[in-house]
Amino acid sequence: MPLPLADDALAPPIPPAPEDVHSRVIDWFSEAARDLPWRRPECTPWGVLVSEIMLQQTPVVRVLPRWEDWMHRWPTPNACAAAPQSEILTVWDRLGYPRRALRLQAAAEAIVERHDGAVPADPQALRALPGIGEYTAAAVACFAFGIPEVVVDTNIRRAHARIFTAAALPGQTYTAAQRRLAHDLMPATDDDGGRRACAWNASTMELGALICTARSPQCAICPVADLCAWRAAGSPPPTEEQKTRGQAWAGTDRQVRGAIMAVLRRGEPVEAQALLTGLPLAEASDEQRRRCLETLVADGLAQRRGDVVTLPGVL
């Protein structure tokens, strides 16, 4: 059944009671959650941290094999901190945004130096690690240690927006109003030490990833379809302000940098000119190729000695 409208038929639908949504979504998650290795009880806090860094702007299907390989090679922060940078970047492979790999190793080094090799549970200590922002610190505290921090990613923002504010999409920016809503929606922690709040974070994230998707929401099988304010409003299309602009790939510096890194991950030193002219990117100009190589060197993702280019630490 659709949600009841306020007295004024033109007014937005009345949002559902958070407690009703909590119960349904958490129950749905207990049955429908994907069996992901970083969710299993035997996964270490380090494994959770690695997954959160890898999953930034990268789908699960691409992360899974890289996470498995990474954890096999470097099952602890100590092992990761001691690894050659060239190997770190090679195992990262084509996950994209390879600076994340170096930031993850920098975080491992800080964990070894500051916390005796154990990932800290305290959210403040997590946020103090290199490359760890508000979201990642909250996610690791919640999913690895059961600390009921407010976790908000794109999937959660979208589910919150539709269910409680009748918006089709949450927009590009995480607004102050969305932050307040996320905090207000967290279940109370007094009775169970935060277990339900942590379950709410995980289940809402999964709902956004599998059901309440951006382009093709599966409302017919959504556990809260009859409570959803967006559905009650007639499932309006997103406004211009709500839309998220997709990032281009073809012809961008990201594509050229990725092609250079793919060559360097083969592990052999290569002459710079041969590297740049051999890229299978006919539309990339010589100037763009040179610029992208220079930025990779400046970012510490490649090193150049004379005319020879390699991954860091190879020469």
Side-chain angles (χ1 to χ4, degrees), residues 144-161:
F145 298 103
I147 297 173
E149 289 287 289
V150 179
V151 178
V152 183
D153 74 342
T154 300
N155 290 317
I156 290 175
R157 286 176 61 221
R158 185 169 57 252
H160 286 177

Side-chain angles (χ1 to χ4, degrees), residues 133-185:
E134 176 185 357
Y135 164 78
T136 303
V140 173
C142 176
F143 302 141
F145 298 103
I147 297 173
E149 289 287 289
V150 179
V151 178
V152 183
D153 74 342
T154 300
N155 290 317
I156 290 175
R157 286 176 61 221
R158 185 169 57 252
H160 286 177
R162 285 181 178 154
I163 297 169
F164 295 100
T165 74
L169 292 173
Q172 187 77 38
T173 304
Y174 183 35
T175 66
Q178 290 172 1
R179 184 185 296 273
R180 286 193 299 271
L181 177 63
H183 280 263
D184 291 343
L185 291 176

Side-chain angles (χ1 to χ4, degrees), residues 34 76 91 103 188 197 296:
R34 290 169 291 181
T76 65
V91 173
R103 288 198 293 266
L296 287 171

